[in-house]
Amino acid sequence: MSLATVYSRSRLGINAPLITIEVHLSNGLPSLSIVGLPETAVRESKDRVRSAILNSQFEFPARRITINLAPADLPKQGGQFDLAIALGVLAASGQIPTDTLGDYEFIGELSLNGELRSTKGSLPAAIACAAAKRKLICCADNALEASLSEATSVLGSKSLLQTCAHLCGQTLLTPIQAPNFAIVDTHSLDLLDVKGQLQAKRALEIAAAGKHHLLLFGPPGTGKSMLASRLPSILPPLTQAEAIDVAQVLSITNSQPLSHYPARPFSAPHHTASAAALVGGGSQPQPGEITVANHGVLFLDELPEFQRQVLEVLREPLENGFIRISRACAQVEFPAQFQLIAAMNPCPCGYYGYGNSNNYVNSSRCQCSAEKIRRYRSKVSGPLLDRIDLHVPVQALKQGELHTATQGDSSATIQQRVLAARKIQLNRQGHCNALLSSRAIDSICRTTLVQQKMLDGAMEKLGFSARALHRILKVARTIADLESTEIISDAHLHEALAYRLLDRQQQ
């Protein structure tokens, strides 16, 4: 038989579209051509495949070989097609049987001696392979990662020769068993490390309970970064479905294959990051930091130091939970269900308001003019600030408080309260309060006529937008859930209103 068909998988975002590899041998001068929009790494596979076949003691056919990668309009990149192409050549030349090729999909890069090397994206490929009801044969180094899907039979092979022995029924490969799902706790940081700052810790607990976005502002050295870095320690552990979503992103971004279910991610890009680094991009779109932080925390320290156009690209993902990147070759959608935690100083030097009514040694440390402070704060636009639920001041400790300030509860204790509040939300509406729609707010965040008049007055006096008012109601609902009460009280609303300080300062 001079025609063989083999199945493989490409990468498009976090998806793995099917690639049908057709190999045809015909008479003519010996040659090998690859068609179907192959990029450089794919075109170079013909040299790797030829050497791998010869070094595996097979015969490389001295005929005209045409390899088609279908669909023809989808760009192909990477070396993951090497194994499938080599098997197609061997099957078309009659050196291995073709009757079982249709039951498998193959992913793996070949070395010149025929050994298989690991590639990115094996987990999305395994999930897509399961939907097609086929088995997956990949590099042994990728097999454990691919088995995390628990949806298809994954076979790990070390070489082209071992794969051919399995297809010929001589030495069968053993399916890889997925590791038992277990909660991975890699967060050794604890809120007990932060002295004082009880208000900020309270806001952090509310943010964790309702998955609300949070902005910490205050002088340098007050513990803003410490607080933000300890948020993952009080968040609920990932569910298995969430862990698989996180693992899919890591599968296409990490250079090393995964060996276990991941923990909740924490991404902290530097303020020099570009818009493409934050949301993703490139001629072949790759995920950015907001996708790496999917189901986790995105921490932006020194928020005004980011370029304004970089921050503006966050506005839609904060609302939608995904980012769609359009390029000439493809349109890719990446998940972006992250929780934003940001930190900023009150002015360029960082010490505006330092010492006012707080008994500090030096109450005139800030020398910034009003115009400098206005320009500094205007780097964070109103629409972006409007999408952040909690604006929390973090004041410096007074003299002597660093040694005597109370530490509050540990992360483990706070996490139990967060878990209880999340359970109430999941039982009531199936998701966190931060994701409530406008219609759901009317039914779940009900208020009395007196409370409505109070909110209308605050909206008029302080200039809140309708979005800000909805976010205040969501935060109040979360505060009530932390107290396990069905009714939103005046105290809950007052506390939620107190977390919109920057809205007031803009008036």
Side-chain angles (χ1 to χ4, degrees):
M1 183 177 182
S2 59
L3 178 65
T5 301
V6 186
Y7 299 106
S8 185
R9 292 281 167 179
S10 184
R11 293 196 304 270
L12 185 62
I14 62 169
N15 299 317
L18 177 67
I19 301 298
T20 302
I21 298 176
E22 301 168 322
V23 180
H24 179 245
L25 305 186
S26 60
N27 295 327
L29 292 175
S31 65
L32 192 154
S33 60
I34 301 177
V35 297
L37 282 184
E39 294 198 342
T40 303
V42 182
R43 290 196 300 268
E44 291 175 346
S45 66
K46 60 184 180 181
D47 298 316
R48 295 192 297 270
V49 166
R50 184 178 186 277
S51 296
I53 288 177
L54 293 175
N55 288 322
S56 298
Q57 309 306 315
F58 290 106
E59 178 186 350
F60 191 82
R63 301 176 65 183
R64 182 181 179 87
I65 305 173
T66 303
I67 300 170
N68 179 40
L69 309 178
D73 59 346
L74 178 67
K76 294 34 171 225
Q77 58 178 334
Q80 68 265 29
F81 306 113
D82 288 3
L83 177 60
I85 291 174
L87 293 173
V89 171
L90 294 176
S93 60
Q95 299 182 66
I96 62 172
T98 60
D99 51 350
T100 59
L101 284 178
D103 299 331
Y104 297 93
E105 294 181 7
F106 304 91
I107 292 178
E109 179 182 330
L110 286 172
S111 63
L112 297 184
N113 62 0
E115 293 182 353
L116 284 176
R117 290 176 174 157
S118 62
T119 58
K120 295 180 179 180
S122 58
L123 180 55
I127 294 174
C129 184
K133 298 184 183 311
R134 297 191 187 96
K135 302 174 184 178
L136 178 67
I137 295 182
C138 61
C139 174
D141 294 337
N142 292 121
L144 194 58
E145 175 185 300
S147 69
L148 295 178
S149 68
E150 298 184 355
T152 188
S153 179
V154 177
L155 307 174
S157 176
K158 294 183 178 179
S159 65
L160 173 63
L161 191 61
Q162 196 175 50
T163 306
C164 293
H166 173 82
L167 295 174
C168 293
Q170 298 174 354
T171 305
L172 299 181
L173 298 172
T174 304
I176 303 298
Q177 295 295 324
N180 294 328
F181 177 72
I183 297 174
V184 180
D185 185 10
T186 59
H187 306 293
S188 58
L189 303 177
D190 197 295
L191 277 173
L192 284 176
D193 301 332
V194 183
K195 300 291 184 66
Q197 307 298 359
L198 297 183
Q199 182 188 13
K201 290 180 181 179
R202 167 69 173 171
L204 209 65
E205 180 178 343
I206 295 171
K211 202 177 180 181
H212 300 290
H213 304 306
L214 170 66
L215 172 61
L216 302 169
F217 64 95
T222 55
K224 301 185 295 295
S225 299
M226 286 185 68
L227 287 162
S229 64
R230 282 150 179 78
L231 176 61
S233 67
I234 64 175
L235 290 173
L238 290 174
T239 64
Q240 187 168 9
E242 290 174 336
I244 291 176
D245 288 344
V246 174
Q248 286 191 78
V249 176
L250 295 177
S251 179
I252 62 176
T253 55
N254 281 8
S255 57
Q256 295 297 323
L258 295 173
S259 59
H260 53 76
Y261 291 96
R264 196 174 291 276
F266 181 85
S267 179
H270 192 259
H271 62 260
T272 56
S274 65
L278 210 58
V279 301
S283 57
Q284 296 293 332
Q286 298 296 318
E289 293 290 342
I290 64 173
T291 300
V292 173
N294 187 44
H295 293 308
V297 177
L298 176 68
F299 176 46
L300 300 183
D301 200 4
E302 305 296 344
L303 187 66
E305 299 301 332
F306 284 83
Q307 296 182 22
R308 178 159 180 157
Q309 62 267 29
V310 173
L311 294 179
E312 294 307 295
V313 300
L314 292 175
R315 285 157 57 173
E316 290 183 7
L318 282 172
E319 292 285 336
N320 302 330
F322 63 87
I323 180 69
R324 185 177 290 114
I325 300 174
S326 297
R327 294 293 183 268
C329 60
Q331 186 180 72
V332 178
E333 186 175 293
F334 291 113
Q337 297 181 30
F338 61 93
Q339 184 173 0
L340 175 65
I341 306 297
M344 62 178 286
N345 296 324
C347 67
C349 76
Y351 294 101
Y352 176 74
Y354 180 86
N356 292 344
S357 69
N358 278 305
N359 298 324
Y360 293 117
V361 175
N362 185 355
S363 61
S364 59
R365 190 166 180 178
C366 176
Q367 302 296 324
C368 300
S369 65
E371 179 61 21
K372 277 187 177 181
I373 296 174
R374 187 196 65 78
R375 286 201 306 266
Y376 179 77
R377 294 187 179 181
S378 67
K379 292 181 180 179
V380 182
S381 69
L384 177 61
L385 198 62
D386 207 36
R387 288 168 166 83
I388 301 178
D389 306 60
L390 306 167
H391 311 156
V392 183
V394 184
Q395 297 292 346
L397 297 178
K398 299 178 184 179
Q399 285 183 335
E401 282 188 340
L402 186 62
H403 308 290
T404 60
T406 57
Q407 293 177 302
D409 295 330
S410 67
S411 290
T413 302
I414 297 175
Q415 186 185 48
Q416 293 306 311
R417 296 199 293 264
V418 170
L419 287 171
R422 284 278 184 108
K423 184 177 181 181
I424 293 174
Q425 297 166 40
L426 294 177
N427 292 337
R428 182 177 58 227
Q429 72 254 7
H431 52 74
C432 297
N433 289 334
L435 303 179
L436 287 172
S437 64
S438 299
R439 183 177 298 179
I441 290 174
D442 295 336
S443 59
I444 294 175
C445 305
R446 287 191 294 268
T447 54
T448 65
L449 290 176
V450 175
Q451 291 172 342
Q452 290 173 13
K453 289 181 179 179
M454 184 264 290
L455 289 173
D456 290 341
M459 188 175 181
E460 180 180 359
K461 181 182 295 186
L462 303 175
F464 291 149
S465 67
R467 179 193 287 118
L469 192 64
H470 276 174
R471 292 184 180 273
I472 289 170
L473 288 172
K474 293 177 185 179
V475 171
R477 179 68 266 172
T478 299
I479 296 172
D481 290 339
L482 282 168
E483 297 179 3
S484 300
T485 61
E486 296 182 5
I487 300 174
I488 297 177
S489 67
D490 293 349
H492 300 151
L493 286 174
H494 289 153
E495 184 177 0
L497 281 166
Y499 293 130
R500 303 294 301 192
L501 289 180
L502 290 183
D503 286 336
R504 305 179 189 185
Q505 294 181 11
Q506 286 189 336
Q507 300 304 313

